[in-house]
Amino acid sequence: MTLITKYLDQYYRAMQQRHPAVLWFGDEERREIALTFDDGPHPQDTPQVLEMLAKHNIKATFFLVGKYVEQHSDLVRQIHQSGHQFGIHCYRHLPFPLENPVTLRAQLDRTRNAIANAGGIAPETIKDLRPPYGAFTSKTLTLLKDWGYQPVMWNNIPPHWMQPVSWTISQIFDQIIPGSIIVLHDGHGHGTKAAQILDIMIPRLKAQGLEFVTIEKMRESIVKELQKLSSL
């Protein structure tokens, strides 16, 4: 690990302790990692990402933007039919603390219903949520909990949209640990780079004995471990 990576690791661990209701990373005793995507669906980017995930037989979690869900419901169906998990990113990509609570809840519920309708699933099954820019306050977390949403963050988020693919690959592997939650983006023209990254990264991570799981499955593993510990 580089000094920056060590600092980031300490930061994410401190944040997990400070905000235990927020998922920053999974169980380090299990060789599971979660691959997640923000900012979609996008008509050019998302299909490239889905194609690469299918090539490597990987299931991921897509945190979707509500207004794009309404515009590209066919892609939402494709994500679901490919066996991936849905999460909510936002409706219009503004930091949650800047939104009026009434407006925010209406937008999140609208996004959830749009995803559910497009994917043909029950709205109440869509609980995982990632705030835009990772921005939240204690008040935000209280509201999200009251509304039935489960915040998800990350501990591995390379700025792949603004740098060469090789840099991103190096950063991912410098920061990867069992339980890592990786963030890439399948929107705003970043899909081609994301697909290239996946094609290089996935085989190498599999070779390290790491298993790709959805956020939902990662949460289940954590709950099982907590239940196991509580029974001792």
Side-chain angles (χ1 to χ4, degrees):
M1 283 188 178
T2 64
L3 286 176
I4 293 177
T5 302
K6 289 181 179 179
Y7 170 78
L8 287 172
D9 183 65
Q10 292 173 358
Y11 169 77
Y12 292 130
R13 291 178 187 278
M15 292 299 286
Q16 183 71 84
Q17 292 181 351
R18 183 177 179 182
H19 302 290
V22 182
L23 183 64
W24 296 82
F25 50 87
D27 183 0
E28 293 180 72
E29 298 300 317
R30 305 176 68 92
R31 296 192 64 77
E32 296 177 343
I33 56 176
L35 184 57
T36 68
F37 295 90
D38 288 358
D39 292 352
H42 186 280
Q44 281 78 49
D45 296 332
T46 303
Q48 294 183 75
V49 168
L50 289 174
E51 181 180 356
M52 199 56 64
L53 293 173
K55 174 183 176 180
H56 294 285
N57 192 28
I58 294 297
K59 304 306 179 190
T61 303
F62 286 77
F63 291 90
L64 304 179
V65 177
K67 65 179 182 179
Y68 300 144
V69 170
E70 293 174 346
Q71 296 170 11
H72 307 293
S73 59
D74 57 324
L75 289 176
V76 180
R77 284 192 292 274
Q78 187 177 349
I79 291 170
H80 179 60
Q81 291 168 358
S82 299
H84 303 294
Q85 181 194 341
F86 291 131
I88 296 171
H89 195 26
C90 55
Y91 183 80
R92 57 180 181 175
H93 216 283
L94 285 178
F96 286 172
L98 299 183
E99 295 274 22
N100 175 277
V102 174
T103 302
L104 177 59
R105 182 173 188 180
Q107 290 181 349
L108 294 180
D109 290 348
R110 178 176 177 177
T111 300
R112 177 163 62 181
N113 289 331
I115 295 171
N117 289 335
I121 62 175
E124 57 269 19
T125 64
I126 305 170
K127 299 179 181 180
D128 289 315
L129 178 150
R130 174 172 289 146
Y133 310 105
F136 62 82
T137 64
S138 295
K139 180 181 178 181
T140 305
L141 295 183
T142 298
L143 291 172
L144 294 176
K145 180 181 178 181
D146 290 344
W147 300 339
Y149 292 108
Q150 302 175 145
V152 179
M153 293 292 282
W154 59 73
N155 69 338
N156 198 318
I157 182 170
H160 66 95
W161 58 90
M162 58 181 291
Q163 64 183 18
V165 168
S166 60
W167 291 15
T168 296
I169 296 295
S170 295
Q171 289 164 1
I172 289 173
F173 279 87
D174 190 40
Q175 297 176 29
I176 202 74
I177 60 171
S180 279
I181 298 176
I182 304 170
V183 181
L184 298 175
H185 297 76
D186 65 319
H188 305 296
H190 305 314
T192 299
K193 271 190 174 181
Q196 294 171 349
I197 293 163
L198 294 174
D199 204 22
I200 298 169
M201 172 186 74
I202 292 173
R204 290 175 58 183
L205 289 174
K206 283 184 174 180
Q208 293 186 6
L210 294 167
E211 177 187 1
F212 290 83
V213 299
T214 62
I215 291 296
E216 183 177 32
K217 186 173 180 183
M218 181 172 278
R219 281 190 186 279
E220 290 174 356
S221 297
I222 294 172
V223 170
K224 288 179 181 177
E225 182 63 23
L226 290 174
Q227 291 174 340
K228 180 181 177 181
L229 291 173
S230 65
S231 65
L232 294 178

